[in-house]
């Protein structure tokens, strides 16, 4: 590399990292240590080694599915706005109405999954995405014809969290690739107002 290119590259890196350093300092002033994927700062468990654990129950609005999620993550020291984590999820669904071909049926499913999660904090706004695999088993309440009783599918999702002085809001979309697991596709929104 020529000396002129090295100096230009160094100046470009310095120019690009200066705004990020300013944003990280703004995050610290605003209490921006809550990971981008976290639901509420009050629910986090922080370990001495820097790992943050967030767990929550999940229940779908239609009442068919319940379960829980557990996320463990950390923020790299040299990248204070980046959040990395792993999510473990378990869901049980009872008597979910579905169609197999032209037949209607009710199925019970159990799913167990894991995803990698990555997020970035931009001041008060946090954006994150996740991708992973879910293994599931399903049983028809009344056995009929061919029904896949087990499988593995990919799960993807993305979300945003906005943290303001008086409230925290969160929006998340999660989608399963398998048609038999379509009842777990979720769009969730929440607003947390501490008082």
């Amino acid at each position: 590399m020529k000396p002129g290119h090295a100096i230009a590259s160094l100046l470009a890196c310095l120019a690009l990292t200066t705004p990020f350093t300013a944003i990280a300092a703004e995050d610290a002033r605003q209490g921006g240590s809550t990971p981008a994927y976290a639901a509420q700062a009050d629910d986090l468990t922080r370990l001495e080694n820097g790992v943050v654990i967030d767990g929550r129950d999940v229940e779908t609005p239609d009442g068919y599915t319940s379960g829980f999620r557990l996320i463990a993550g950390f923020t790299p020291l040299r990248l204070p706005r980046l959040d990395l984590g792993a999510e473990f999820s378990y869901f049980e669904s009872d008597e979910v109405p579905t169609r197999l071909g032209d037949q209607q049926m009710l199925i019970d499913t159990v799913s167990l999954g894991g995803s990698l999660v990555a997020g970035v904090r931009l001041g008060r706004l946090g954006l994150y995405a996740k991708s992973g695999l879910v293994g599931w088993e399903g049983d028809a309440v009344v056995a009929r014809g061919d029904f896949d009783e087990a499988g593995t599918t990919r799960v993807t999702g993305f979300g945003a969290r906005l943290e303001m002085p008086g409230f925290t809001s969160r929006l998340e979309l999660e989608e399963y690739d398998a048609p038999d697991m379509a009842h777990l596709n979720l769009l969730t929104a929440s607003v947390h107002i501490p008082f």
Side-chain angles (χ1 to χ4, degrees):
M1 181 180 272
K2 295 181 180 179
H5 293 289
I7 292 172
S9 297
L10 182 62
L11 289 175
C13 288
L14 183 61
L16 289 173
T17 58
T18 301
F20 293 134
T21 305
I23 291 172
E26 179 69 14
D27 280 350
R29 281 195 300 276
Q30 295 173 0
S33 62
T34 303
Y37 51 78
Q40 300 171 33
D42 302 344
D43 295 339
L44 298 178
T45 301
R46 298 179 187 277
L47 305 180
E48 291 179 11
N49 61 2
V51 173
V52 177
I53 299 173
D54 181 17
R56 58 186 174 268
D57 292 331
V58 176
E59 188 166 329
T60 58
D62 59 16
Y64 294 122
T65 303
S66 62
F68 66 90
R69 297 177 198 265
L70 181 66
I71 302 175
F74 69 99
T75 300
L77 290 175
R78 297 190 184 267
L79 299 168
R81 296 183 315 126
L82 180 66
D83 300 311
L84 302 173
E87 178 183 88
F88 171 77
S89 62
Y90 174 82
F91 298 117
E92 287 185 19
S93 301
D94 295 323
E95 298 187 0
V96 177
T98 189
R99 295 185 69 84
L100 180 61
D102 59 351
Q103 294 182 358
Q104 289 188 347
M105 63 171 50
L106 299 176
I107 61 169
D108 294 336
T109 62
V110 174
S111 66
L112 186 64
S115 300
L116 296 177
V117 182
V120 63
R121 284 176 272 143
L122 305 168
R124 298 181 186 277
L125 178 67
L127 302 172
Y128 64 95
K130 63 182 172 181
S131 181
L133 291 174
V134 172
W136 62 274
E137 291 184 3
D139 295 318
V141 175
V142 177
R144 291 185 187 172
D146 289 336
F147 176 73
D148 287 335
E149 294 185 8
T152 303
T153 187
R154 193 173 65 130
V155 61
T156 55
F158 63 91
R161 181 182 54 81
L162 180 63
E163 192 171 1
M164 300 300 279
F167 69 93
T168 301
S169 63
R170 190 167 183 271
L171 178 69
E172 179 177 293
L173 173 66
E174 186 174 55
E175 184 175 40
Y176 292 76
D177 279 349
D180 293 329
M181 298 300 288
H183 63 278
L184 291 180
N185 292 344
L186 290 176
L187 175 62
T188 56
S190 65
V191 176
H192 174 68
I193 303 172
F195 55 89

